[in-house]
């Protein structure tokens, strides 16, 4: 088991940041730890990475206990903290070299992580000269240096622009093919875009633990489509199995279908038959959205 958390409680003075939290993460899963700000996500991650101690309960990473086998935990985990503490005066390679020395990692690994995280074109620069997206890549490269089994990423996409966001999400997904990834976020769409499973936390308590594929098996689905000009809602309602149509903004429409069948190809054919141009076409997980709203209200 990659991560095992049993009845963890953590107090800051008299405030309970975590209350009797338990969950398990299997090998090579990408699990989203989703919750509003202040829910206790960072606190949980700091416990799992041995930065702080819980008041009650136990936890292990890669079968090493966070209290009694800290060294084992630290060699098993790559951690990207929320406020990625980079030494901005250092050059990328200098920074990675410094940390490789700390971990006792062979120097050959530096080029490997640079390759792995797509840092190559910027690797000759000072960290202060990098965009936020590339700084996150440096943080990820750093977390991967000692080739850990488990990656713990605290809000890894916060503050990125839309292009950087897509790049970093893709990078995390590709890393997740080989390693266990446990990432926190307060944004539901992040979970949708990257994760196999979601654990929802609210006010220090786990309120849901679901596989995304099970949530997608609901009887409803929402398709978001953008055309190149305005279309009457009634016209779009001619699509099969439409429950409702909403024009969300501009030429973007949210179409709810009363079926779990993927309706994107129907929308595409409909556009083609009616000589409409599609600018974007996505599915939204209606169940995750309503679950999150209901549980974290
Ligand atoms: P999240 O990462 O989900 O935003 P945190 O784990 O950072 O949540 O915080 C959980 C709760 O614990 C919040 O109410 C926060 O204010 C509080 N908290 C976090 N760190 C400390 C600390 N060092 N001292 C006191 N309270 C803290």
């Amino acid at each position: 088991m990659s991560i095992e958390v049993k009845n963890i409680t953590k107090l800051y003075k008299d405030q309970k940041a975590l209350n009797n939290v338990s969950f398990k993460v299997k090998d090579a899963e990408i699990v989203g730890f989703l919750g509003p700000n202040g829910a206790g996500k960072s606190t949980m991650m700091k416990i799992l990475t041995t930065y702080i101690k819980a008041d009650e309960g136990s936890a292990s990473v890669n079968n090493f206990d966070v209290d009694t086998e800290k060294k084992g935990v630290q060699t098993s985990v790559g951690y990207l903290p929320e406020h990625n503490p980079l030494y901005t005066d250092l050059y990328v390679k200098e920074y990675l070299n410094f940390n490789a020395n700390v971990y006792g990692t062979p120097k050959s690994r530096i080029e490997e992580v640079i390759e792995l995280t797509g840092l190559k074109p910027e690797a000759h620069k000072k960290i202060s000269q990098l965009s936020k997206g590339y700084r996150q890549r440096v943080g990820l490269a750093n977390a991967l240096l000692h080739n850990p089994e488990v990656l713990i990423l605290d809000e890894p996409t916060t503050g990125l622009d839309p292009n950087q966001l897509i790049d970093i999400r893709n990078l995390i997904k590709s890393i997740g093919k080989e390693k266990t990834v446990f990432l926190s976020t307060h944004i539901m769409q992040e979970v949708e875009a990257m994760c196999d499973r979601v654990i929802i936390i609210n006010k220090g308590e786990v309120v849901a633990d679901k596989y995304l594929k099970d949530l997608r098996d609901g009887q409803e689905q929402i398709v978001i489509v953008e055309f190149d000009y305005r279309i009457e809602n009634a016209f779009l309602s001619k699509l099969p199995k439409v429950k409702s149509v909403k024009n969300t903004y501009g030429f973007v429409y949210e179409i709810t279908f009363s079926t779990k069948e993927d309706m994107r190809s129907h929308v595409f054919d409909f556009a083609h038959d009616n000589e409409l141009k599609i600018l974007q076409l996505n599915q939204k997980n209606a169940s995750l959205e309503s679950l999150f709203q209901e549980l974290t209200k």
Side-chain angles (χ1 to χ4, degrees), residues 88-228:
T88 52
D89 277 346
L90 296 187
Y91 288 91
V92 173
K93 283 193 184 168
E94 209 182 351
Y95 175 72
L96 294 173
N97 198 31
F98 174 79
N99 284 317
N101 280 335
V102 174
Y103 289 126
T105 310
K107 293 283 146 60
S108 57
R109 181 68 182 158
I110 295 175
E111 288 305 323
E112 272 175 40
V113 295
I114 286 177
E115 193 71 46
L116 215 74
T117 53
L119 261 175
K120 203 149 199 174
E122 303 283 289
H124 60 286
K125 291 189 181 168
K126 262 192 178 177
I127 293 174
S128 60
Q129 296 168 324
L130 301 181
S131 65
K132 176 93 170 90
Y134 271 91
R135 286 184 196 200
Q136 278 306 73
R137 285 175 199 259
V138 178
L140 281 168
N142 183 47
L144 286 164
L145 262 180
H146 57 301
N147 206 5
E149 311 284 326
V150 180
L151 276 183
I152 295 187
L153 313 175
D154 199 352
E155 305 256 357
T157 58
T158 299
L160 300 182
D161 74 29
N163 290 330
Q164 295 167 345
L165 192 76
I166 291 170
D167 289 344
I168 296 292
R169 280 178 183 172
N170 286 338
L171 179 58
I172 292 171
K173 272 209 297 208
S174 78
I175 294 169
K177 288 187 185 135
E178 297 190 358
K179 302 199 181 286
T180 306
V181 179
F182 184 60
L183 68 93
S184 72
T185 177
H186 60 278
I187 305 159
M188 205 182 45
Q189 288 78 5
E190 291 284 293
V191 172
E192 190 90 68
M194 287 185 278
C195 302
D196 305 314
R197 187 175 141 209
V198 62
I199 296 173
I200 303 181
I201 179 167
N202 191 40
K203 296 183 185 148
E205 296 188 11
V206 169
V207 290
D209 183 346
K210 303 257 182 205
Y211 281 92
L212 277 259
K213 68 172 170 24
D214 293 340
L215 286 171
R216 285 190 196 108
D217 277 349
Q219 290 304 308
E220 268 188 13
Q221 76 169 289
I222 299 173
V223 171
I224 318 265
V225 56
E226 183 178 7
F227 296 107
D228 62 341

Side-chain angles (χ1 to χ4, degrees), residues 12 15 17 36-43:
Y12 292 112
Q15 187 200 351
N37 287 324
K41 304 182 293 294
S42 294
T43 301

Side-chain angles (χ1 to χ4, degrees), residues 48-71:
L48 290 174
T49 49
T50 74
Y51 278 77
I52 58 173
K53 273 174 79 101
D55 293 297
E56 284 170 37
S58 63
S60 65
V61 179
N62 203 19
N63 303 314
F64 292 107
D65 186 279
V66 294
D67 286 326
T68 58
E69 296 165 303
K70 277 192 181 180
K71 192 98 195 116

Side-chain angles (χ1 to χ4, degrees), residues 10 73 82 87 103 151 173 177 245 255 265 275 280 291 294:
K10 171 73 190 172
V73 173
E82 186 179 5
Y87 300 98
Y103 289 126
L151 276 183
K173 272 209 297 208
K177 288 187 185 135
V245 177
I255 311 171
S265 61
E275 295 180 355
Q280 62 152 319
L291 186 71
E294 192 185 308

